[in-house]
Amino acid sequence: MTHTAELFETAIAWAKKRGFKNIKANTEDFDSPKPFKRPVDENGNEPDPVIPDLTGMQSSGKSYVEIACKTDQVQDLISKWKLLATMAQMKGGKLYLLTPRGHKAFTENIVKVYNLEARIVSI
């Protein structure tokens, strides 16, 4: 899923304001976060790697930040958020889901239904 440069700027500003260090973002002008490779599927196809929108270090550990927008690719989104929530827990950080206006209910529903460990933030 691609996000606008404006959404990335807002997300990066949000992370900086909260004291994130070593910020990496999946956008131009920033080092890209490390991708997570997924296993080959039953048909022998190698799925696209999972790349977080943003990562950064907080005093507690490494956190992941996703710009949470409505999509028809809900299953892919759920898989990505589950993986990032797990990685954040393992690294002592958190998963933050930044929701632009009009996308919060969609995000809250997924987090609730799939019991994801994530903090939802309106941007």
Side-chain angles (χ1 to χ4, degrees):
M1 170 184 333
T2 58
H3 301 298
T4 65
E6 185 179 309
L7 283 175
F8 270 104
E9 286 176 23
T10 301
I12 291 164
W14 176 89
K16 285 180 178 177
K17 189 173 170 185
R18 273 142 196 88
F20 281 64
K21 303 285 184 229
N22 194 23
I23 295 172
K24 295 186 179 181
N26 191 14
T27 186
E28 291 180 16
D29 301 329
F30 272 83
D31 289 339
S32 188
K34 182 180 171 198
F36 296 101
K37 293 190 184 233
R38 296 191 287 187
V40 175
D41 68 18
E42 61 276 355
N43 299 324
N45 299 320
E46 189 170 319
D48 291 334
V50 173
I51 303 172
D53 289 338
L54 269 83
T55 62
M57 297 300 294
Q58 292 181 288
S59 58
S60 58
K62 187 171 187 175
S63 290
Y64 297 85
V65 180
E66 282 290 297
I67 300 168
C69 295
K70 295 177 196 173
T71 178
D72 293 334
Q73 310 292 314
V74 177
Q75 209 52 52
D76 290 343
L77 194 64
I78 293 163
S79 297
K80 182 177 185 180
W81 290 356
K82 280 183 176 181
L83 171 66
L84 296 179
T86 301
M87 293 306 297
Q89 282 183 316
M90 288 172 53
K91 296 184 180 212
K94 295 178 177 60
L95 170 61
Y96 294 95
L97 302 175
L98 306 186
T99 59
R101 185 179 184 90
H103 298 268
K104 189 171 183 180
F106 170 83
T107 303
E108 287 175 334
N109 184 51
I110 289 176
V111 168
K112 182 179 176 187
V113 168
Y114 294 92
N115 197 28
L116 297 175
E117 186 67 37
R119 301 240 172 120
I120 300 171
V121 179
S122 296
I123 56 170

